[in-house]
Amino acid sequence: MKYYIFALSFIAADQLSKFLVRTYLDVGESVSVLGDFFRLTHIQNRGAAFSMFSGQRLLLILVPVVMVIAALLVLSKMKHAHWSLYTAWTLILAGGLGNLIDRIVFGQVTDMLDFSIFPPVFNLADIGITVGCALAVIYILLGDRLKQHD
C-alpha cells in the first residue's frame, strides 16, 4: 500500500510542477535557478525522449498504457519481492502515468528541468522512469545478493 501512496505522491508532485511551469512561464521562456548550470525552461514535447516519434500521439499513448498495466500487474503479484524491485516498478508506474496524463489531456508533455551538462530538457516523470529503470537493472544484476541482505 505504501508504494501506491508513494506513486500517487510522485504523480501529484510531477503534475504540480508541470502546472506551475505552464502557469508562470511562456513556452520557450527560461528562468535561471543556479546560474547557467540549472534553469527552468518551459518546453512542450510532442514526442518521446529527445522528441522521438513526434506527432505519433496514438503510439505515445498506447505504449505507456501497456507499460502502466504491466507495472500494475507486476506490483500486484510481487508479494515478497525486494524493496528495490517494488521501488523500481513504482517509479516506472508513477513516471509513466505522469507523462501519460499530459499526453491525454494536452496532447504533449511539459518539460522544464534544464541542466547545462545534460542537453535534453526533462521533467519529474522522466526522472521517475529513468531511476526506476536503473533500479530494475541493479536488481537484475545484484538480485541474489540483495535478497541475502534483506
Side-chain angles (χ1 to χ4, degrees):
M1 183 62 146
K2 66 183 174 183
Y3 291 98
Y4 293 111
I5 293 169
F6 174 70
L8 289 174
S9 299
F10 193 93
I11 293 166
D14 174 65
Q15 289 299 302
L16 177 62
S17 67
K18 292 172 179 176
F19 170 78
L20 292 171
V21 165
R22 284 190 303 268
T23 301
Y24 294 106
L25 294 176
D26 292 328
V27 174
E29 186 177 357
S30 189
V31 175
S32 176
V33 177
L34 292 173
D36 285 336
F37 175 72
F38 174 59
R39 304 178 68 79
L40 291 177
T41 302
H42 183 176
I43 301 292
Q44 292 297 320
N45 185 353
R46 293 189 181 277
F50 305 103
S51 296
M52 291 186 306
F53 306 108
S54 189
Q56 302 293 320
R57 187 165 187 240
L58 184 60
L59 176 71
L60 293 169
I61 289 174
L62 287 178
V63 170
V65 165
V66 169
M67 291 307 297
V68 164
I69 291 169
L72 286 169
L73 288 171
V74 169
L75 284 169
S76 70
K77 295 190 184 297
M78 295 186 330
K79 301 296 181 206
H80 303 291
H82 191 266
W83 67 266
S84 61
L85 192 57
Y86 264 99
T87 303
W89 278 101
T90 302
L91 286 167
I92 293 167
L93 171 67
L97 280 171
N99 281 341
L100 184 59
I101 290 167
D102 275 25
R103 288 192 198 288
I104 290 170
V105 174
F106 303 107
Q108 56 200 3
V109 173
T110 300
D111 290 326
M112 78 287 294
L113 304 174
D114 185 1
F115 288 88
S116 63
I117 60 171
F118 190 67
V121 179
F122 54 97
N123 59 45
L124 291 179
D126 298 335
I127 293 170
I129 294 166
T130 302
V131 171
C133 288
L135 270 176
V137 167
I138 291 168
Y139 179 83
I140 289 166
L141 296 174
L142 302 176
D144 291 336
R145 288 187 210 148
L146 294 173
K147 291 175 194 172
Q148 291 170 357
H149 299 290
D150 238 355

